[in-house]
Amino acid sequence: MLKLKEPIVKLDLPFEEALFKFANFNLNTLPDPLDEETEKATPFVKWVGGKRSIMSDLVSRLPKEFNNYYEPFVGGGALFFEISSKLKKSFLSDINLDLVLSYNVVKKDPLKLIEALKIHELKHSEEYYYKIRSRQELKDPIEIASRFLYLNKTCYNGLYRVNKKGEFNVPMGKYKNPNISQEKNIWACYEALKNTKIEYKEFDSIKPSLGDLVYFDPPYHPTNETSFTNYTKLDFTEKDQARLRDFCDFLNKNGVYFMLSNSDTNFIKDLYKNYNIQFVSAPRFVNCKPGQRNSVNEVLITNY
Ligand SMILES: C[S@@+](CC[C@H](N)C(=O)[O-])C[C@H]1O[C@@H](n2cnc3c(N)ncnc32)[C@H](O)[C@@H]1O
């Protein structure tokens, strides 16, 4: 239960004094009762390229004010969940179908999802992992989402990799106590997703309007040959990076704010040379060789 140390406003004050206190009262300094009773939502999937390590850089570069929020490469949605309580309406999208379906299941049926995850949690073993991994033809959304989340929480490094047929093929990871059912967090994500539409679509099919904000976190332009950028069956090529820049130009002309993360390469800096480029340093864990898991420089590009 929330306990306040001091009453916020004493009701036995003389009227003039009380009026003065109310007039100067800053609502933002009030503790939010929800903070103490509900867990703050965090990404319900582990996702390569998750943004937790550079979160303060991202938040500090947001425009002071904007209307609706768009995140068309949503992945784990680290920035969305960080700022969700302050957003009006949000539009999240991605071309990973299982991921998009899982967001919609968290939004529409968290209870059944948690029940299904608890069963996976109970049965979890190496043999069970590979049995569930081999089930590719599921039809029921709860089964698809719970399989996807179970594999995501127990596979090697939370990687998402599929073969040419689109079948998930990451081996099991070595976690002692993977948090498979994540009950409190699923409920917190359900709350965070209330005013949100989550769709399966290409990044340039979104339709933001004047004053909206789009945060782009695309697969990064590779800094060397072993960089991991393949999130789905399709690679994100330099042609796609250029298409993304063209889309940013289009948004810019239409008065939409955009913020974009990418790697610090000459190709990317040249593509966005007409915009503001800020450098941030982030630890990365996407290389095959353990020795190469160092911090890398990223760029944060904005049109404001
Ligand atoms: C770098 S990850 C996003 C990470 C995310 N911001 C986070 O915090 O976890 C890139 C995402 O883009 C998605 N993606 C790749 N190509 C896409 C495309 N053409 N249109 C929309 N989404 C795409 C991938 O499925 C992946 O989820």
Side-chain angles (χ1 to χ4, degrees), residues 219-254:
Y220 281 13
H221 182 240
T223 47
N224 62 45
E225 282 167 10
T226 54
S227 287
F228 179 92
T229 52
N230 189 7
Y231 294 84
T232 63
K233 276 184 285 183
L234 311 162
D235 279 336
F236 203 80
T237 62
E238 288 194 349
K239 240 179 161 176
D240 294 311
Q241 298 286 2
R243 183 161 64 96
L244 174 56
R245 196 282 317 276
D246 292 347
F247 188 56
C248 287
D249 287 346
F250 167 78
L251 296 180
N252 186 45
K253 276 194 200 118
N254 286 284

Side-chain angles (χ1 to χ4, degrees), residues 253-265:
K253 276 194 200 118
N254 286 284
V256 174
Y257 299 113
F258 78 80
M259 176 163 88
L260 179 141
S261 294
N262 215 317
S263 46
D264 176 6
T265 65

Side-chain angles (χ1 to χ4, degrees), residues 49-236:
K51 285 285 159 298
R52 295 229 62 83
S53 57
I54 57 159
M55 192 49 69
S56 56
D57 292 298
L58 295 181
V59 172
S60 68
R61 287 296 294 134
L62 292 170
K64 291 267 170 306
E65 279 184 22
F66 55 91
N67 292 332
N68 297 326
Y69 177 78
Y70 285 75
E71 199 173 331
F73 297 95
V74 70
L79 179 59
F80 164 76
F81 285 116
E82 179 67 25
I83 60 174
S84 60
S85 63
K86 302 188 175 67
L87 299 175
K88 294 173 189 161
K89 199 156 171 45
S90 308
F91 297 84
L92 310 179
S93 45
D94 201 287
I95 54 159
N96 185 318
L97 187 55
D98 284 353
L99 176 73
V100 170
L101 185 136
S102 299
Y103 268 94
N104 280 294
V105 168
V106 171
K107 182 180 159 72
K108 288 177 190 149
D109 214 340
L111 193 61
K112 282 211 187 114
L113 176 64
I114 292 166
E115 281 168 6
L117 286 171
K118 281 187 173 166
I119 295 174
H120 285 313
E121 194 159 57
L122 220 64
K123 295 189 173 173
H124 177 51
S125 69
E126 190 163 356
E127 193 190 342
Y128 185 74
Y129 175 89
Y130 289 103
K131 187 173 131 196
I132 296 298
R133 197 185 78 165
S134 69
R135 286 192 189 154
Q136 310 277 352
E137 300 299 328
L138 300 173
K139 296 256 159 19
D140 173 55
I142 303 284
E143 279 184 3
I144 298 172
S146 63
R147 170 183 179 271
F148 178 72
L149 294 193
Y150 166 61
L151 296 176
N152 174 264
K153 289 289 171 179
T154 51
C155 74
Y156 181 77
N157 268 357
L159 282 182
Y160 186 86
R161 190 186 60 202
V162 290
N163 62 19
K164 287 213 170 82
K165 287 192 233 155
E167 296 166 344
F168 184 77
N169 65 0
V170 179
M172 193 173 108
K174 299 261 174 277
Y175 300 105
K176 277 203 179 122
N177 280 315
N179 183 4
I180 297 167
S181 59
Q182 46 168 333
E183 186 166 2
K184 279 190 180 167
N185 190 42
I186 299 255
W187 280 115
C189 292
Y190 158 79
E191 285 292 332
L193 290 169
K194 273 190 171 156
N195 234 347
T196 303
K197 196 165 182 188
I198 311 124
E199 291 182 297
Y200 170 63
K201 58 171 146 182
E202 271 289 319
F203 68 84
D204 52 2
S205 309
I206 61 168
K207 303 230 172 326
S209 313
L210 182 81
D212 289 345
L213 168 69
V214 184
Y215 172 52
F216 294 104
D217 185 16
Y220 281 13
H221 182 240
T223 47
N224 62 45
E225 282 167 10
T226 54
S227 287
F228 179 92
T229 52
N230 189 7
Y231 294 84
T232 63
K233 276 184 285 183
L234 311 162
D235 279 336
F236 203 80

Side-chain angles (χ1 to χ4, degrees), residues 48-49 53 157 159 228 282-288 292-294 296:
V48 171
S53 57
N157 268 357
L159 282 182
F228 179 92
R284 273 272 158 262
F285 299 96
V286 292
N287 271 307
C288 303
Q292 289 182 11
R293 296 179 180 194
N294 296 326
V296 295

